[in-house]
């Protein structure tokens, strides 16, 4: 989006009507692209809210909603939660354009464990259960990804074929 609005943008050389149509279509595409992620966050929010309402039935709904929203922000991809210098890395030409996405994965894993431990420490049975499940789920996902990534079960021919398709610096 920044490139579209910069002084050096090719769009600045186009007629205003065409420029606005291009900007509009790019924004629409961006909104459609983010719809599944937004829907997942809404789903996660209501799951968090349900657990918090069960854990704190007499607490004000607004407080539970704020905590649920914060939990979702902590444990899902959230570009705005990254430090600005990480968000700006993707604009550096020689770096991976998804530096911020990669960095955010680490933030999500860290926050998931941190939140799970915090929930367990409350001694509230609902939150202890939720925190234990949160930690167990993240550990299972990370272990499963590690297991799958280790190419377990491949014979030497299959492993050689996989390695031949890798970039030279990733082969060993």
């Amino acid at each position: 989006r920044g490139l579209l609005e910069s002084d050096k943008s090719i769009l600045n050389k186009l007629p205003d009507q065409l420029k606005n149509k291009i900007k509009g279509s790019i924004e629409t595409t961006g909104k459609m692209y983010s719809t599944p992620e937004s829907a997942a966050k809404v789903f996660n929010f209501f799951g968090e809210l349900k657990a918090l309402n069960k854990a704190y039935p007499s607490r004000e709904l607004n407080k539970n909603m704020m905590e649920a929203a914060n939990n979702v922000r902590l444990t899902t991809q959230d570009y705005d939660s990254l430090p600005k210098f990480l968000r700006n890395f993707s604009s550096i030409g020689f770096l991976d354009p998804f530096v911020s996405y990669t960095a955010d994965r680490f933030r999500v894993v860290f926050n998931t464990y941190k939140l799970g431990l915090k929930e367990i420490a409350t001694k509230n049975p609902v939150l202890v259960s939720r925190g234990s499940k949160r930690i167990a789920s993240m550990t299972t996902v990370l272990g499963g990804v590690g297991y799958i990534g280790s190419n377990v079960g491949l014979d030497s021919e299959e492993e050689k074929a996989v390695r031949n398709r890798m970039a030279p610096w990733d082969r060993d």
Side-chain angles (χ1 to χ4, degrees):
R1 183 177 182 159
L3 281 175
L4 296 177
E5 296 169 355
S6 79
D7 293 338
K8 296 177 183 176
S9 173
I10 193 169
L11 289 180
N12 289 330
K13 296 176 178 138
L14 298 174
D16 285 345
Q17 188 176 11
L18 180 58
K19 183 172 31 176
N20 291 336
K21 283 187 179 191
I22 292 171
K23 279 186 178 181
S25 64
I26 290 171
E27 287 176 8
T28 300
T29 302
K31 287 177 185 175
M32 288 174 26
Y33 180 77
S34 67
T35 298
E37 183 179 359
S38 298
K41 287 181 180 183
V42 169
F43 180 80
N44 289 350
F45 170 78
F46 283 109
E48 292 286 340
L49 183 60
K50 182 179 178 182
L52 289 167
N53 285 338
K54 189 175 178 183
Y56 303 115
S58 60
R59 187 159 78 170
E60 190 178 311
L61 177 62
N62 192 41
K63 284 190 176 203
N64 284 348
M65 290 176 75
M66 294 298 287
E67 188 173 339
N70 187 54
N71 290 353
V72 170
R73 196 172 297 113
L74 288 172
T75 59
T76 60
Q77 295 284 324
D78 183 25
Y79 183 76
D80 294 332
S81 293
L82 286 171
K84 189 173 182 175
F85 77 93
L86 284 175
R87 285 182 288 179
N88 291 336
F89 266 143
S90 60
S91 65
I92 300 173
F94 64 89
L95 290 176
D96 181 355
F98 299 106
V99 169
S100 58
Y101 173 78
T102 304
D104 206 26
R105 289 188 307 183
F106 291 106
R107 183 192 66 81
V108 167
V109 171
F110 176 80
N111 286 338
T112 298
Y113 280 113
K114 183 178 173 183
L115 181 58
L117 292 171
K118 179 182 163 192
E119 289 171 329
I120 291 169
T122 66
K123 306 282 193 256
N124 180 310
V126 173
L127 295 181
V128 168
S129 173
R130 187 142 178 97
S132 299
K133 288 176 184 174
R134 194 181 299 275
I135 289 172
S137 297
M138 181 57 76
T139 302
T140 301
V141 167
L142 293 176
V145 167
Y147 179 79
I148 291 168
S150 66
N151 296 327
V152 175
L154 296 180
D155 63 30
S156 61
E157 289 287 320
E158 292 168 325
E159 187 174 343
K160 186 177 178 182
V162 169
R163 289 193 186 282
N164 284 338
R165 299 184 83 197
M166 295 175 148
W169 57 87
D170 266 346
R171 288 188 181 153
D172 293 322

